[in-house]
Amino acid sequence: MVSYKRLNPEDVQFSRAVLSEERHPVQEDVSGLEPEDSSLLTRRPSCSITTALLVISCLLLVLCGGWLLGTIFWLHSSSNVDPHKPPLPVPGQTPDSKAQAGPNGTTVASRRGACRLIPEAWRFDCYPERGMVVTREMCEARNCCFIPASTRPSSAAHTSGENGIPWCFYPPDFPSYSLVSLNDTSLGQKGTLVKEVKTYYPGDILNVEVEIRQETNTRLRVRITDPSASRFEVPISVPTATTKAENPEYVIELSKQPFGLIVRRSSTGAMLLDTNVAPLFYADQFLQFSTSLPSQFIYGLGEHRSTFLHDVHWNTLTMWARDAAPMEQTNLYGVHPFYLSMEDGGNAHGFFLLNSNAMDVVLQPAPALTWRTIGGILDFYVFLGPDPGSVVEQYVEVVGYPAMPIYWALGYHLCRWGYNTSDSTWEVVKSMRNYGIPQDVQWNDIDYMDRQMDFTYDPTNFATLPDLVKDLHVHDQRYVMILDPGISSSQPEGSYWPFDEGLKRGVFIKDAEGKTLIGKVWPGLTAFPDFSDEVTHDWWFDNLQRLHQKVPFDGVWIDMNEPSSFLDGSTSGCPSSSIENPPYTPGVLGGSLRAKTVCATAQQKQSIHYNMHSLYGLMEAKATASAMKRIVAKRPFVISRSTFPSQGMYSGHWLGDNRSQWKDLYTSIAGMLTFNILGIPLVGADICGFSEQPQEELCIRWTQLGAFYPFTRNHNSINMNPQDPTAFSPMARTAMKQALLLRYSLFPVLYTLFHHAHVHGHTVARPIMFEFPKDVKAYGIDKQFMWGKSLLVTPVLDPGVDYVEGYFPEGLWYDFYTGDSVRSQGEELRLPAPLDKINLHLREGSILPTQTPNLTLWVSSGQPLHLISALSDDGSASGDLFWDDGETVDSYETVQYSYIIFKVAQNLMTSQVLQSNIEATYITVESATFYGVKEKPSKVLVNSQDATFTYRDNKVLTVADLGLNLSQNFTISWM
């Protein structure tokens, strides 16, 4: 039997999925009382109506008088409170005062007043469980405040699916840890934290250790651990500091009771971290802390489909790798607990939580952020920047610099699921050649496999696959094939070497009983390799090598590696335990950790899957890159769906199974920019969309935008119409061809940007605000972006238009195609954008090396250079070029490269070869164009010799027929 109790509406909060709250303004009016029924006072039996009215009237007078005095005092004193901190707790309360309320409820009433003084924006959720009907009794059982949120309508439009203002939230005196000891160490300080009162999650760890490491002047690391027991730590390599920073750009402040950590920027006093805003939790399966944010401008926190600038209005971002088509408010393929935050004045800092367990990251409009994870330790970094680009460099220095891609990785890639035969695949390649459309790489999806089994190819429908690959190589093209981690387990014994050999070597993930865990993917029943075991890496290499001997593929596409399964857990289910059903489950799609993946209790070499799940794609990428390096003896090419910090060292990423919709075209920019700040610059979306029927206009515009993805691939789904450029009308085909030739002409620029990403941790596709961090109007822009610091890309993202509006930061800009100049004061401009054009603009002071494009990068990269200089008002400009053979592993580290700097000043261009290699001797500089030459020269000299030139009315000077060797210094001057 179930007993039902009548609940008043104000007693109930429908949390998360049950009720979506309206968003409210950040500025809270705390002067208004909430409904009286929301009181924390104990309810009393009813009496006569007259008596009740008299009593209530008196109480209201007393309460209103007290409230008025308290509000006046609070408002008077609030000017002294840090604008990014909530009101201070009510004085005189102790952690267990809530348990000491007498029969008259005076302590409860006092505490209620303290709760009401907390503005809605600063209320931190005490009952974050989803799908729960949270009553006052449930909330108070956790010793938390229960106040129904205001129902005032908001003036702004809001997206659906928001969590809303929590009705159950922490009071100022909620039990937390105290700092009972603190000692100096060689890197900083180490202290002991003690909590005397257990909280509401099981496995409370009452004694923890905090270690503060001042690793560099711009990097602070904090670790909170259990000194009595070893806990899981993420197994990626990070720098080991040996000496304490001498001149840190941060100031650390510690609060003893309750424990809190504040980190400020020394130069400005800006508060970068303040954990005093909410209690610290450290239980076995529930670790949580919160911090204020210096502004609402926060980026990163992948992988989610959203705008580039995150919404801080009660927005929860769940992290747990999941096979799900990109949609908002959903945990997707990768996990990246790193954010970048802007501060007043254009400074920026970053924060990285090194934790791989399932987690929620909660943003609220205070602004503030809560980290809530269900395992591991609290191990986090603060990066001081101070500019956004420096923050990314400092983050990448910790997680690992991205690999330098092989040259053809930057060409045009073509794929689809549903070619069905190798001959039809081949026909598309031939058609691309016949129309003169650039293509470097042809791919196949799982339809090339024999019964969709890894390391096989269909002997009937793909019988000519080896010949196709041989033909691609003859034409200086490359071939990439897909591999899923699921290995068929249902073939007759002795008939399928990958599974038989894998069983023999013990490479597969085990269930809780130690047996091979069986799930279900494309080939049917499958086992999953455990890439946390080096034995598995050897087995994976052997399988790749055996396949490569039959089909000499050049790169590998690793898909379904969250890992994805068509079953929840396994064919035999999962055991019932706190690992499978933790006390708190973050907001994962499907509602459980095992949804469409393997059991959380599954056993891997390094730990249980509960801890290792979101690392699976990273570890498979590491094994694949290592194997390919051995097989082809060149830079490996790997594209992975699931990712984790340090992934850029081993693979690139595509943004998953998008749709052929204009919205997906737009959101791809935010995804591309986010992964660039996450240290994975080789990224792009499926051009024209993966699912749904392609549209010609959309595909033209997408090809134009996709030509400026760092990774450019057209891919669509089975049973969809073809969407390669040859499938459309002559007009569309020509527009797409022009966009791709434009990309190929800019290969020297893109290749040099990847060099700087590899060596320095720079972004390739770059948010505008990275170059203009003091321009607040640029902070939310995700319809435009830059390549490096020089090239502004303004794509068309809407149907049926022949213009586009773009923001131009203050300064002088030049039309890339014509050299026409525009001077902006920091404003939006309307640009003509016919269907065959994407708008590009050069920033003043930049020099770009370009080449005459061809059908493959192998041919294009051998063509003469054309230098384009966009002069500043003072006539100056600079640029650079990195050049090598395009495929040697570690060419920079082994000094097998050329590096040239170009400069213009006072009517003189100079070329300075800082490092020379034989590859540069094969390249000539054939012409140079200068935008912004204010007067027509009377003479142009090349290496002090007279040269012919042209000068146009739009102040463009061109010098052609130069024939200069790239490996030798040269000068071009005019007077």
Side-chain angles (χ1 to χ4, degrees):
M1 296 291 291
V2 178
S3 174
Y4 292 91
K5 173 186 176 184
R6 169 171 283 185
L7 301 174
N8 295 319
E10 67 272 17
D11 290 332
V12 177
Q13 177 194 13
F14 293 88
S15 71
R16 307 298 173 258
V18 182
L19 178 66
S20 175
E21 293 288 345
E22 291 187 357
R23 187 190 310 163
H24 300 284
V26 175
Q27 299 298 324
E28 300 294 346
D29 179 7
V30 297
S31 61
L33 282 169
E34 283 81 1
E36 188 62 24
D37 282 346
S38 67
S39 165
L40 294 176
L41 290 172
T42 307
R43 295 179 181 269
R44 297 184 178 277
S46 61
C47 52
S48 71
I49 295 175
T50 304
T51 305
L53 287 172
L54 287 172
V55 171
I56 290 171
S57 298
C58 293
L59 284 173
L60 283 173
L61 285 172
V62 172
L63 288 172
C64 288
W67 164 80
L68 186 58
L69 289 173
T71 302
I72 292 172
F73 173 78
W74 181 76
L75 289 173
H76 175 73
S77 61
S78 65
S79 62
N80 297 323
V81 178
D82 190 302
H84 296 300
K85 289 186 67 174
L88 295 173
V90 174
Q93 290 194 333
T94 60
D96 48 4
S97 63
K98 59 184 71 59
Q100 298 173 350
N104 59 7
T106 54
T107 304
V108 174
S110 172
R111 191 162 164 278
R112 167 189 144 200
C115 291
R116 289 194 176 186
L117 284 178
I118 301 176
E120 289 181 343
W122 284 102
R123 295 177 181 176
F124 293 87
D125 201 345
C126 178
Y127 225 113
E129 286 82 355
R130 287 160 177 76
M132 303 269 309
V133 178
V134 181
T135 66
R136 179 197 316 280
E137 287 75 13
M138 294 167 64
C139 180
E140 291 180 358
R142 293 188 171 187
N143 291 322
C144 289
C145 303
F146 185 86
I147 299 178
S150 164
T151 56
R152 295 190 303 272
S154 173
S155 59
H158 311 307
T159 57
S160 61
E162 298 171 331
N163 293 333
I165 302 164
W167 292 15
C168 182
F169 56 95
Y170 299 111
D173 59 349
F174 191 88
S176 189
Y177 290 88
S178 298
L179 178 63
V180 299
S181 69
L182 187 66
N183 298 296
D184 290 337
T185 67
S186 60
L187 291 176
Q189 295 172 306
K190 183 178 290 187
T192 300
L193 307 181
V194 174
K195 182 166 65 174
E196 297 180 354
V197 179
K198 288 192 174 183
T199 48
Y200 47 85
Y201 285 111
D204 246 329
I205 301 171
L206 299 181
N207 294 273
V208 297
E209 186 174 84
V210 58
E211 183 181 7
I212 299 169
R213 299 178 181 176
Q214 300 181 48
E215 295 194 338
T216 73
N217 291 337
T218 56
R219 186 177 79 222
L220 173 70
R221 185 179 186 184
V222 178
R223 288 168 49 87
I224 304 178
T225 57
D226 179 359
S228 64
S230 175
R231 296 178 59 82
F232 177 76
E233 298 189 30
V234 178
I236 66 172
S237 298
V238 295
T240 302
T242 56
T243 58
K244 182 178 177 180
E246 293 184 0
N247 298 294
E249 297 179 14
Y250 46 84
V251 175
I252 302 165
E253 303 171 18
L254 299 176
S255 302
K256 290 187 177 181
Q257 189 171 0
F259 168 73
L261 171 65
I262 292 175
V263 180
R264 296 183 186 271
R265 185 179 297 280
S266 302
S267 59
T268 65
M271 188 179 295
L272 313 185
L273 186 74
D274 180 5
T275 69
N276 291 288
V277 297
L280 167 66
F281 282 77
Y282 208 107
D284 184 37
Q285 291 181 270
F286 188 88
L287 297 85
Q288 176 180 285
F289 68 100
S290 304
T291 178
S292 63
L293 296 170
S295 79
Q296 63 181 339
F297 301 110
I298 185 169
Y299 312 84
L301 299 173
E303 180 175 11
H304 300 90
R305 173 161 152 155
S306 70
T307 52
F308 177 56
L309 171 64
H310 284 299
D311 183 1
V312 298
H313 290 83
W314 307 109
N315 181 16
T316 294
L317 302 170
T318 300
M319 297 190 188
W320 178 251
R322 172 63 198 254
D323 173 4
M327 65 185 96
E328 287 77 3
Q329 301 294 317
T330 304
N331 53 300
L332 299 179
Y333 314 106
V335 166
H336 294 272
F338 166 81
Y339 70 76
L340 182 148
S341 177
M342 297 301 295
E343 306 157 32
D344 290 343
N347 285 334
H349 71 276
F351 185 100
F352 172 44
L353 177 62
L354 183 52
N355 184 290
S356 61
N357 289 90
M359 69 175 75
D360 284 333
V361 183
V362 184
L363 299 171
Q364 60 191 76
L369 179 148
T370 296
W371 296 97
R372 186 184 299 138
T373 184
I374 61 172
I377 65 171
L378 297 180
D379 183 0
F380 58 84
Y381 293 83
V382 181
F383 306 104
L384 271 288
D387 60 274
S390 298
V391 171
V392 173
E393 292 172 30
Q394 292 154 16
Y395 170 63
V396 169
E397 184 180 9
V398 167
V399 300
Y401 291 94
M404 183 67 186
I406 196 165
Y407 77 94
W408 53 259
L410 307 184
Y412 182 60
H413 301 243
L414 191 56
C415 183
R416 75 159 299 159
W417 179 18
Y419 284 122
N420 297 323
T421 70
S422 52
D423 287 342
S424 65
T425 308
W426 206 340
E427 286 304 313
V428 173
V429 173
K430 293 175 181 177
S431 181
M432 292 283 287
R433 292 174 191 160
N434 290 338
Y435 283 113
I437 301 174
Q439 181 191 2
D440 263 84
V441 194
Q442 180 61 49
W443 298 39
N444 276 121
D445 208 317
I446 58 174
D447 42 327
Y448 82 84
M449 298 178 182
D450 181 10
R451 292 165 291 162
Q452 299 174 327
M453 296 190 298
D454 275 354
F455 307 113
T456 68
Y457 68 95
D458 186 330
T460 302
N461 294 322
F462 280 80
T464 59
L465 183 58
D467 297 324
L468 163 61
V469 175
K470 190 178 300 181
D471 176 71
L472 288 168
H473 291 167
V474 167
H475 287 84
D476 302 315
Q477 295 173 299
R478 301 294 176 261
Y479 181 68
V480 170
M481 58 205 324
I482 192 172
L483 286 174
D484 296 334
I487 301 298
S488 176
S489 62
S490 57
Q491 304 308 309
E493 186 176 352
S495 66
Y496 184 48
W497 193 87
F499 181 72
D500 294 338
E501 186 67 16
L503 274 184
K504 186 186 303 182
R505 300 191 198 182
V507 306
F508 297 117
I509 292 176
K510 308 294 192 297
D511 63 19
E513 297 178 353
K515 301 174 183 176
T516 299
L517 184 145
I518 302 299
K520 185 177 182 181
V521 200
W522 297 113
L525 299 181
T526 54
F528 299 88
D530 175 12
F531 290 104
S532 74
D533 190 344
E534 287 297 325
V535 172
T536 307
H537 289 217
D538 293 336
W539 166 86
W540 190 248
F541 163 76
D542 290 341
N543 278 282
L544 285 167
Q545 187 178 51
R546 286 163 60 93
L547 178 60
H548 191 268
Q549 289 168 352
K550 301 173 184 174
V551 181
F553 55 91
D554 301 282
V556 181
W557 169 22
I558 49 177
D559 192 12
M560 305 289 286
N561 55 348
E562 290 74 29
S564 175
S565 177
F566 299 160
L567 304 174
D568 290 352
S570 75
T571 54
S572 56
C574 304
S576 178
S577 68
S578 64
I579 298 299
E580 296 292 343
N581 304 292
Y584 175 80
T585 300
V588 297
L589 181 63
S592 71
L593 300 182
R594 61 185 172 274
K596 297 298 178 283
T597 189
V598 304
C599 299
T601 49
Q603 300 178 46
Q604 297 186 234
K605 174 73 172 181
Q606 296 189 21
S607 187
I608 55 175
H609 196 71
Y610 180 89
N611 297 320
M612 301 291 295
H613 171 81
S614 293
L615 296 164
Y616 195 88
L618 168 65
M619 292 185 166
E620 185 191 17
K622 186 176 181 179
T624 307
S626 173
M628 287 302 295
K629 195 181 297 186
R630 294 169 62 186
I631 291 169
V632 300
K634 299 174 183 177
R635 297 174 201 164
F637 176 80
V638 182
I639 293 292
S640 175
R641 189 167 73 178
S642 187
T643 59
F644 192 81
S646 79
Q647 189 91 24
M649 298 173 67
Y650 311 106
S651 82
H653 172 64
W654 95 103
L655 296 173
D657 297 339
N658 59 3
R659 292 164 287 274
S660 296
Q661 297 181 2
W662 289 91
K663 180 180 180 181
D664 291 66
L665 173 67
Y666 158 59
T667 58
S668 72
I669 299 177
M672 171 185 66
L673 294 179
T674 295
F675 271 90
N676 266 265
I677 72 173
L678 296 175
I680 308 174
L682 188 63
V683 61
D686 284 345
I687 293 172
C688 302
F690 172 71
S691 64
E692 303 183 13
Q693 295 295 352
Q695 311 161 47
E696 181 167 284
E697 182 190 4
L698 173 62
C699 206
I700 292 171
R701 294 303 194 190
W702 211 324
T703 303
Q704 290 169 346
L705 170 60
F708 290 90
Y709 292 156
F711 166 60
T712 297
R713 183 184 72 162
N714 180 318
H715 177 49
N716 70 330
S717 184
I718 195 168
N719 299 324
M720 298 296 116
N721 293 333
Q723 63 185 34
D724 63 88
T726 69
F728 296 99
S729 69
M731 179 276 297
R733 192 165 57 237
T734 300
M736 295 181 196
K737 175 180 176 179
Q738 289 175 349
L740 296 174
L741 287 171
L742 176 60
R743 175 188 178 88
Y744 275 49
S745 74
L746 289 165
F747 171 72
V749 177
L750 185 59
Y751 195 66
T752 300
L753 288 174
F754 268 100
H755 161 71
H756 289 303
H758 171 60
V759 175
H760 306 295
H762 292 181
T763 52
V764 173
R766 188 169 301 174
I768 294 177
M769 63 98 168
F770 268 49
E771 289 300 316
F772 300 90
K774 294 186 178 181
D775 186 350
V776 179
K777 288 183 286 187
Y779 286 9
I781 293 177
D782 55 10
K783 292 186 175 182
Q784 297 168 273
F785 58 95
M786 300 184 73
W787 264 15
K789 64 182 181 181
S790 302
L791 191 63
L792 176 63
V793 184
T794 308
V796 172
L797 303 173
D798 299 299
V801 297
D802 59 2
Y803 66 91
V804 64
E805 292 180 348
Y807 179 73
F808 285 73
E810 183 177 359
L812 187 60
W813 298 85
Y814 295 91
D815 184 294
F816 174 81
Y817 306 101
T818 67
D820 292 342
S821 64
V822 57
R823 189 177 300 277
S824 173
Q825 300 302 317
E827 56 199 296
E828 282 202 351
L829 302 174
R830 175 173 286 201
L831 310 170
L835 195 54
D836 62 351
K837 178 183 180 181
I838 182 170
N839 275 275
L840 300 179
H841 286 82
L842 277 174
R843 182 183 181 184
E844 62 175 314
S846 58
I847 299 177
L848 264 59
T850 67
Q851 284 179 309
T852 302
N854 211 292
L855 299 189
T856 67
L857 285 177
W858 178 258
V859 179
S860 291
S861 62
Q863 301 303 305
L865 291 178
H866 174 60
L867 304 179
I868 305 176
S869 301
L871 304 184
S872 299
D873 275 332
D874 64 0
S876 64
S878 63
D880 63 346
L881 174 65
F882 175 85
W883 207 249
D884 62 9
D885 67 3
E887 55 189 20
T888 295
V889 177
D890 297 332
S891 66
Y892 173 77
E893 291 76 6
T894 56
V895 199
Q896 300 180 65
Y897 68 93
S898 295
Y899 184 66
I900 301 98
I901 289 179
F902 306 104
K903 290 183 179 179
V904 176
Q906 299 178 341
N907 298 350
L908 172 66
M909 166 177 263
T910 59
S911 161
Q912 185 178 7
V913 180
L914 298 184
Q915 174 64 40
S916 183
N917 179 262
I918 191 172
E919 295 295 330
T921 65
Y922 305 143
I923 306 297
T924 60
V925 176
E926 195 62 27
S927 59
T929 296
F930 303 88
Y931 295 164
V933 177
K934 296 177 181 178
E935 297 179 356
K936 181 178 180 179
S938 60
K939 179 184 291 189
V940 173
L941 302 177
V942 177
N943 288 336
S944 302
Q945 301 295 314
D946 284 344
T948 58
F949 64 92
T950 61
Y951 183 82
R952 300 201 303 266
D953 291 341
N954 61 347
K955 301 179 181 180
V956 174
L957 169 67
T958 300
V959 188
D961 301 321
L962 296 174
L964 300 169
N965 194 300
L966 180 63
S967 64
Q968 297 176 4
N969 297 343
F970 63 81
T971 63
I972 302 174
S973 61
W974 61 93
M975 56 195 71

